[in-house]
């Protein structure tokens, strides 16, 4: 195995790491706001997101509280345990938890598809994986929730509008800080360029 197997130079590890952080985000949301329903939470190029159906709009204050809870979950070093269920049991499992979006996803899986879940402490999510073996591998101070936008369930404008919480995660705080500084600088440049183009400056 290559030396960089468990570093962010390895895209597979980077995606697995950030996908695990999306589960930590969902767990934090459910702990703080049990009434929120879960949709999906993949890793993406520069981080991850999770879509939620909440009876209120997430504010910056909510995001700060969620981030703090995520750091706690990292410190708890919860093992991520994979298990599988037959389709009817999987549906019942999510129905009992009041998760209609997960029920829909299970029902739409092709016949014969393996239906797997990942459990971490008091939280279980429908997921194909892979994940890190414990939340303790994630550096809490390397996590940042960056924004919240609207997103239609399954990208369909006739379906419900959900709230998509975006975040990013790095294995070291200084890597996160450097990334956030780059984003900020790019925003400023765009702003200056826009100002010039519009004749404002």
């Amino acid at each position: 195995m290559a030396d960089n197997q468990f570093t962010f130079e390895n895209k597979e590890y980077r995606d697995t790491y950030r996908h695990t952080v999306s589960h930590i985000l969902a767990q934090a949301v459910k702990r703080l706001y049990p009434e929120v329903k879960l949709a999906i939470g993949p890793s993406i190029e520069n981080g991850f997101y999770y879509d939620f159906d909440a009876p209120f709009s997430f504010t910056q204050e909510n995001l700060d509280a969620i981030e703090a809870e995520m750091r706690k979950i990292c410190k708890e070093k919860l093992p991520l345990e994979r298990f599988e269920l037959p389709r009817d049991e999987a549906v019942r499992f999510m129905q009992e938890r009041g998760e209609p979006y997960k029920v829909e996803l299970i029902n739409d899986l092709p016949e014969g598809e393996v239906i797997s879940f990942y459990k971490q402490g008091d939280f279980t999510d429908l997921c194909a994986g892979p994940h890190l073996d414990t939340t303790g591998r994630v550096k809490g101070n390397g996590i940042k929730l960056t924004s919240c936008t609207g997103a239609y369930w399954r990208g369909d404008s006739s379906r419900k509008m959900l709230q998509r919480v975006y975040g990013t995660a790095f294995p070291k705080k200084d890597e996160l800080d450097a990334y956030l500084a780059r984003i900020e600088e790019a925003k400023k440049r765009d702003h200056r360029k826009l100002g010039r183009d519009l004749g404002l400056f």
Side-chain angles (χ1 to χ4, degrees):
M1 285 285 182
D3 286 346
N4 70 354
Q5 183 194 356
F6 297 116
T7 72
F8 264 37
E9 285 155 37
N10 175 353
K11 184 183 181 306
E12 209 177 322
Y13 179 75
R14 193 168 64 235
D15 289 348
T16 299
Y17 188 99
R18 287 173 167 165
H19 191 174
T20 303
V21 183
S22 83
H23 278 226
I24 293 172
L25 163 59
Q27 182 175 20
V29 167
K30 288 298 278 189
R31 277 187 181 181
L32 296 171
Y33 317 106
E35 70 279 19
V36 171
K37 308 287 180 215
L38 303 173
I40 55 164
S43 65
I44 51 176
E45 191 186 347
N46 288 314
F48 57 89
Y49 70 78
Y50 210 110
D51 289 349
F52 299 102
D53 182 359
F56 59 89
S57 292
F58 287 120
T59 62
Q60 189 53 53
E61 215 174 310
N62 294 131
L63 295 185
D64 292 344
I66 294 164
E67 219 177 271
E69 192 63 37
M70 289 172 76
R71 284 196 269 278
K72 254 191 240 170
I73 292 167
C74 296
K75 284 205 179 96
E76 287 168 24
K77 299 189 164 103
L78 304 169
L80 276 92
E81 299 158 314
R82 183 179 184 277
F83 65 94
E84 296 171 9
L85 288 175
R87 183 179 299 257
D88 53 345
E89 280 179 44
V91 166
R92 201 161 53 242
F93 184 79
M94 279 307 179
Q95 277 170 340
E96 282 164 4
R97 279 163 178 68
E99 298 291 358
Y101 298 97
K102 300 294 181 182
V103 170
E104 184 180 322
L105 291 170
I106 294 165
N107 283 326
D108 286 352
L109 287 170
E111 263 322 306
E113 186 87 3
V114 169
I115 302 172
S116 60
F117 295 84
Y118 280 82
K119 179 182 189 309
Q120 55 197 64
D122 54 8
F123 176 76
T124 303
D125 205 352
L126 171 74
C127 193
H131 285 284
L132 301 178
D133 57 348
T134 155
T135 62
R137 295 223 183 264
V138 174
K139 296 290 171 277
N141 65 1
I143 295 172
K144 181 75 190 154
L145 297 182
T146 50
S147 64
C148 182
T149 61
Y152 290 111
W153 170 231
R154 305 188 97 167
D156 179 346
S157 60
S158 68
R159 306 291 302 270
K160 187 157 186 182
M161 173 74 82
L162 305 175
Q163 294 182 77
R164 176 168 293 178
V165 176
Y166 283 99
T168 193
F170 290 86
K172 296 192 180 88
K173 185 179 187 300
D174 55 359
E175 290 174 28
L176 171 68
D177 292 343
Y179 170 78
L180 295 174
R182 278 201 307 279
I183 297 295
E184 212 35 61
E185 194 43 52
K187 269 193 211 151
K188 276 190 212 141
R189 268 202 309 278
D190 283 353
H191 185 66
R192 284 199 296 270
K193 180 179 182 304
L194 188 65
R196 271 201 310 277
D197 293 350
L198 297 174
L200 297 176
F201 305 136

